[in-house]
Amino acid sequence: MTIHLEASVEPIVEGEQEIAAMLKELNPPALIMSIVHMSGDASVLTRWPSPKIIDVVEASSQSVELLEGGYTKEQGESICEYALEVIRDYRANDCKLPQLNDEVMDQLLDFMCGHHLDDEYRAFIREEIALDGIDQRGLRFDSEAGRQRATQFPVVIIGAGMGGVLAAIRLRQAGVPFIVIEKNSAVGGTWFENHYPGCRVDVPGHSYSYSFEPNHDWECYYPLAEDIRAYFDSCADRYGVKSHIRFNSEVVQASFDDNSQRWQVQVKNSDGQLETLEACAVISAVGQLNRPKLPDIPGRDSFAGPLFHSAAWPDGVSLEGKRVAVIGSGASAFQIIPELAKTAASLKLFQRSPVWMFPNPVYHDKVSTAQRWALKKLPYYSKWYRFWLFYVSIEGVYDKTLVDENWHSENSVSQSNDDMRKLLSAWIESQLSDPALLEKVLPDYPPFGKRILQDNGTYLAALQRDNVELLTEGIERIDARGLVTTDGSLHEVDVIVCATGFHADRFLFPMRVTGRQGIELSDQWGENNGRAFLGMTVPNFPNLFCIYGPNTNLVVAGSIAHNAESQVNYILRCIKLLLENNYAAMDCRQAVHDQYNQRVDEINAGTAWGSPAVSNWYKNDQGRVTANLPFRIIDYWRMTKEPNPEDYHFN
């Protein structure tokens, strides 16, 4: 039976006319689910077809305007009319919810997905949306001995971004002592550091959050950086972990002691003093995108004006009326350009390669009053809405990234990938009238070969402003006046913004990490060839766990929040395995590690981003994909559900 959490929603006090108006703005699939929860009548599922996954590219090509889930306007009106009747009865019954048995719950899942789900996928979804209110991802010890040992198992967490705060919350819930070391002055990680104009997340906010702590008050569907940082900060407060964070402190090195089977973690504190912390385990939550990478251009330091990285945007700087150059055309530049174009006297964008983008009409939109109302007041609407966002972002997309060996084309890797290329191209072409500009912005590599971006038209509109110029010539050097391109032209500017990415292939950089028998992680990995089992554990480095480590970046598998929860779930169960069995340390077996990474490399090589014809930040300088997870999210969830003791040596 599904035990409803009646206190999880606020009372509906609005009048029917107001409710009717708001229902028209909601997500139809989630609304249908809420109807069943309020009425207890699953037969209503026969009134409408199952929702269809129609991405925004496909939707833009439809001759008839479709609502979310592929519903027609008429079907949407029918859903809203019936929902209003059900809400009326629900309120007349004092907002009491009928209990739904497992058979009805299975019907709801099958309806939402449009087909019968196997038991494993069903279990995965049930855990993710937790309709029964039970959080299955926390750590629970099976024995009193394990709980007692937990109190003597100190953990050092490095980083207070999404992953670090999540790990801290889970450890506190389990009664495991911990300290979080954070180099910045506040919680947020990348969302604290990146506060350039226009900075926002490119997955829906209602999915970019912890499953156990939904946020119904996002201002925008795709929240701005400050709102995301504030969310993680509020989570740290609400779950009582902020007092465990040492801000303005940085881990210099961490060494595993073979005798004590513990880690010695050297920390440079806010006053510049060094302190050594002893820990039974170390969790690295520094992520992949935490060390800005400035371009290696001759004369960079000779520029007379301000030159800075987009991830180190100076507080209070104003570029209004300035002549500005932006180096780079990736995700950060994509967000920065439309904002700077509004006020700069002139804006020159130096592009190395164009980016694929798909249309998203709500990318800059604020969350409607109706949506906030439904998330807070319609039973289970928020759960199913989160699931819908999650489901549509992963299903039907993954296969479009895989290489068909019988497909031979320079700018696509399969028929379905080429179909997407044509749709994306048509959308880009529809916004441009200048053939010369179109030639510059239209990519000639397969979709998903580089990070694919989204826009509501503002980026391409910005490129067509009179004060904006897109340049594709290479930069030969920088001098005091500006940038000199390979054609010999000098581009005089007042400010240079480097939107040139991060040292994404230098995991745990610049910390010095030493494992068993004095083995240096930098030697084992090399400068930029990080490998880990499941992206989390590394042979010769016992009880060292990585969140968002090598080969865990998501390209088409939904929100990174889902991935972080899978990783923290696995790490917690590794700790439980140690404590329940009275072990001191666990060390990943080399053969297990190598076999896993061989599989990772093979699958990555068969994707659009792994193609040897494509260069991107996902690869190191040897051409190996070090960043991306090549599996579906359901596969990774299964892999990280429980650690297999046979994968490790124990001491």
Side-chain angles (χ1 to χ4, degrees), residues 1-5 32-38 40-43 45 97-119 121-123 125-133 379-381 383-384 387:
M1 300 288 285
T2 297
I3 308 300
H4 286 107
L5 304 177
I32 293 172
M33 297 294 98
S34 186
I35 287 172
V36 177
H37 281 288
M38 287 186 284
D41 182 11
S43 69
L45 299 178
L97 295 171
Q99 299 304 318
L100 305 181
N101 59 34
D102 289 341
E103 182 180 351
V104 173
M105 295 308 303
D106 287 345
Q107 291 178 43
L108 293 179
L109 289 170
D110 290 348
F111 179 85
M112 279 290 275
C113 299
H115 59 89
H116 182 69
L117 301 176
D118 60 41
D119 290 342
Y121 206 103
R122 197 178 301 279
I125 295 173
R126 282 178 177 270
E127 178 186 299
E128 167 60 29
I129 58 179
L131 291 171
D132 56 6
Y380 288 87
Y381 177 90
K383 296 277 191 180
W384 289 106
F387 168 66

Side-chain angles (χ1 to χ4, degrees), residues 136-165:
Q136 300 181 38
R137 294 173 178 169
L139 178 59
R140 298 172 183 85
F141 293 102
D142 298 328
S143 68
E144 179 60 30
R147 285 189 286 274
Q148 289 297 320
R149 293 188 191 108
T151 64
Q152 305 300 315
F153 194 86
V155 176
V156 168
I157 302 170
I158 310 173
M162 172 191 282
V165 170

Side-chain angles (χ1 to χ4, degrees), residues 66-115:
L66 298 177
L67 306 176
E68 287 183 288
Y71 292 106
T72 64
K73 182 179 179 182
E74 291 74 20
Q75 288 171 330
E77 290 174 350
S78 172
I79 295 168
C80 292
E81 288 172 3
Y82 192 76
L84 190 60
E85 294 179 22
V86 170
I87 292 171
R88 185 185 301 124
D89 294 340
Y90 168 67
R91 293 206 289 183
N93 194 36
D94 296 327
C95 298
K96 293 182 180 178
L97 295 171
Q99 299 304 318
L100 305 181
N101 59 34
D102 289 341
E103 182 180 351
V104 173
M105 295 308 303
D106 287 345
Q107 291 178 43
L108 293 179
L109 289 170
D110 290 348
F111 179 85
M112 279 290 275
C113 299
H115 59 89

Side-chain angles (χ1 to χ4, degrees), residues 493-568:
V493 294
D494 302 312
V495 180
I496 298 176
V497 178
C498 300
T500 46
F502 301 83
H503 291 282
D505 56 4
R506 301 181 71 178
F507 300 96
L508 279 66
F509 171 81
M511 292 181 291
R512 179 183 179 187
V513 182
T514 307
R516 288 197 186 282
Q517 300 177 349
I519 296 174
E520 297 286 342
L521 186 60
S522 58
D523 292 336
Q524 183 165 311
W525 276 355
E527 182 176 327
N528 58 3
N529 198 27
R531 298 175 185 267
F533 176 54
L534 300 173
M536 288 183 277
T537 62
V538 185
N540 302 313
F541 295 84
N543 295 9
L544 172 66
F545 304 100
C546 297
I547 300 172
Y548 198 25
N551 293 113
T552 59
N553 180 61
L554 299 182
V555 181
V556 293
S559 166
I560 199 70
H562 300 293
N563 222 27
E565 292 202 31
S566 288
Q567 291 160 12
V568 171

Side-chain angles (χ1 to χ4, degrees), residues 147-438:
R147 285 189 286 274
Q148 289 297 320
R149 293 188 191 108
T151 64
Q152 305 300 315
F153 194 86
V155 176
V156 168
I157 302 170
I158 310 173
M162 172 191 282
V165 170
L166 174 61
I169 290 171
R170 292 308 198 185
L171 289 176
R172 186 174 187 275
Q173 290 172 337
V176 178
F178 63 91
I179 294 175
V180 184
I181 306 300
E182 171 54 55
K183 70 179 187 298
N184 295 318
S185 60
V187 166
T190 191
W191 301 110
F192 173 83
E193 295 173 359
N194 287 269
H195 53 270
Y196 55 78
C199 183
R200 66 175 68 232
V201 70
D202 57 5
V203 297
H206 296 98
S207 180
Y208 195 83
S209 53
Y210 302 138
S211 62
F212 56 88
E213 188 59 37
N215 182 10
H216 302 327
D217 290 310
W218 290 119
E219 181 178 356
C220 299
Y221 286 104
Y222 292 79
L224 292 164
E226 173 53 29
D227 293 332
I228 302 170
R229 189 208 64 77
Y231 167 76
F232 291 122
D233 186 72
S234 70
C235 288
D237 271 333
R238 185 172 295 113
Y239 288 88
V241 303
K242 189 179 282 187
S243 61
H244 297 257
I245 304 175
R246 293 192 183 182
F247 294 108
N248 299 307
S249 299
E250 191 164 1
V251 172
V252 177
Q253 64 179 16
S255 303
F256 185 77
D257 186 281
D258 290 301
N259 295 319
S260 67
Q261 299 289 293
R262 290 196 169 202
W263 284 90
Q264 305 298 316
V265 183
Q266 190 178 72
V267 177
K268 181 185 290 186
N269 293 320
S270 56
D271 58 3
Q273 299 297 309
L274 294 177
E275 176 186 1
T276 299
L277 305 175
E278 188 174 77
C280 291
V282 173
I283 299 175
S284 169
V286 300
Q288 296 186 17
L289 308 177
N290 66 96
R291 297 290 176 176
K293 183 179 183 180
L294 287 168
D296 187 16
I297 299 174
R300 190 186 71 201
D301 296 335
S302 66
F303 182 61
L307 182 153
F308 52 84
H309 194 278
S310 58
W313 200 274
D315 291 333
V317 66
S318 173
L319 303 187
E320 183 175 358
K322 303 289 187 181
R323 299 172 300 170
V324 183
V326 175
I327 302 175
S329 56
S332 298
F334 201 78
Q335 295 176 338
I336 290 170
I337 294 300
E339 297 301 317
L340 296 189
K342 297 174 184 177
T343 60
S346 67
L347 180 59
K348 296 193 176 189
L349 170 60
F350 292 82
Q351 173 187 281
R352 185 170 58 180
S353 63
V355 293
W356 282 114
M357 64 192 83
F358 66 85
N360 184 348
V362 301
Y363 188 50
H364 289 165
D365 287 3
K366 292 187 176 182
V367 178
S368 68
T369 300
Q371 188 72 284
R372 295 191 192 203
W373 171 83
L375 291 167
K376 295 178 181 180
K377 297 194 174 186
L378 290 185
Y380 288 87
Y381 177 90
S382 66
K383 296 277 191 180
W384 289 106
Y385 180 60
R386 176 183 171 93
F387 168 66
W388 176 252
L389 294 174
F390 161 79
Y391 191 70
V392 299
S393 70
I394 61 173
E395 296 302 325
V397 180
Y398 179 79
D399 290 345
K400 296 177 182 178
T401 71
L402 302 179
V403 173
D404 178 355
E405 294 181 357
N406 296 316
W407 183 262
H408 302 290
S409 172
E410 294 182 354
N411 51 20
S412 60
V413 297
S414 68
Q415 180 65 64
S416 62
N417 185 261
D418 198 60
D419 291 342
M420 174 164 275
R421 180 191 64 81
K422 292 175 181 176
L423 287 171
L424 295 174
S425 298
W427 185 75
I428 293 172
E429 291 168 1
S430 71
Q431 298 181 72
L432 299 174
S433 57
D434 181 356
L437 181 59
L438 176 61

